[in-house]
Amino acid sequence: MNVDEILINHFTKYRKGFSLIEILIVIVIISTITALFQVSFRKIYHKTQLKTASDILKQTLISSRLTAITQNLSIQHKISDNMLCTRIKNNMIWEKWNCKILNGENINYVMKGQINFSSRGFATPKTIKMYLKELTIALIININGSIREEFI
């Protein structure tokens, strides 16, 4: 057995780990994949968060409209400081505003004026815009009280 064979046997017999270069290459590959994954799915996460908050607000408004129709009332809504404020007109007298915080952290809600739902199902046409990061969704309420949403 010559010296070269002894050295080769020695290094292959006692080498039990990875070299520093191999470990660094694996770390760089994992970091790159993680960064790409985070960038790709951040927008999807925000879009889902915005859509969920929009659906909750939409269902609240639909429920309010149905209450106005079934109980022969007029109901008003306004949005102020990310709060949905509601009041009911009962026997020609408006009650005090009842406000609750809207769902969704970091979502900004904007609406000018008030939405009025009448006992006949009609509504004041309005647009409620909801902002989260670079995304915007609009809830569009038309005169017959139907509500649709669209990403802007």
Side-chain angles (χ1 to χ4, degrees):
M1 194 180 263
N2 63 20
V3 177
D4 290 336
E5 290 175 353
I6 293 173
L7 287 176
I8 289 172
N9 285 337
H10 176 74
F11 285 117
T12 57
K13 184 177 180 182
Y14 293 105
R15 184 170 181 236
K16 294 185 178 183
F18 295 104
S19 70
L20 182 61
I21 302 265
E22 291 169 334
I23 293 172
L24 289 175
I25 288 171
V26 169
I27 289 173
V28 167
I29 290 171
I30 290 172
S31 300
T32 304
I33 290 171
T34 304
L36 290 173
F37 180 80
Q38 183 180 9
V39 168
S40 298
F41 288 98
R42 184 182 304 143
K43 188 172 183 177
I44 293 171
Y45 172 74
H46 290 313
K47 190 172 184 179
T48 303
Q49 193 177 15
L50 192 60
K51 178 80 168 100
T52 301
S54 170
D55 287 343
I56 291 169
L57 179 57
K58 184 178 176 182
Q59 288 304 317
T60 301
L61 295 174
I62 289 170
S63 174
S64 180
R65 178 177 177 263
L66 292 175
T67 300
I69 294 168
T70 58
Q71 296 182 13
N72 199 25
L73 301 169
S74 291
I75 300 176
Q76 283 185 335
H77 293 285
K78 69 178 180 177
I79 293 178
S80 175
D81 298 325
N82 286 349
M83 296 181 78
L84 179 66
C85 299
T86 306
R87 70 180 182 174
I88 298 171
K89 186 177 184 181
N90 198 356
N91 295 327
M92 305 303 284
I93 298 172
W94 284 105
E95 297 176 359
K96 290 184 179 180
W97 288 103
N98 180 16
C99 298
K100 66 177 186 176
I101 296 174
L102 289 165
N103 295 2
E105 61 183 59
N106 301 326
I107 297 175
N108 293 316
Y109 297 81
V110 176
M111 180 183 76
K112 295 178 182 175
Q114 301 169 349
I115 303 168
N116 296 307
F117 290 112
S118 73
S119 59
R120 295 191 177 177
F122 295 111
T124 309
K126 291 288 177 197
T127 299
I128 302 171
K129 291 187 179 177
M130 303 166 61
Y131 302 96
L132 178 62
K133 304 285 182 186
E134 68 279 353
L135 297 172
T136 303
I137 193 168
L139 285 179
I140 301 164
I141 304 161
N142 63 22
I143 197 162
N144 68 3
S146 67
I147 303 169
R148 65 184 168 90
E149 59 187 12
E150 61 183 51
F151 277 93
I152 300 174

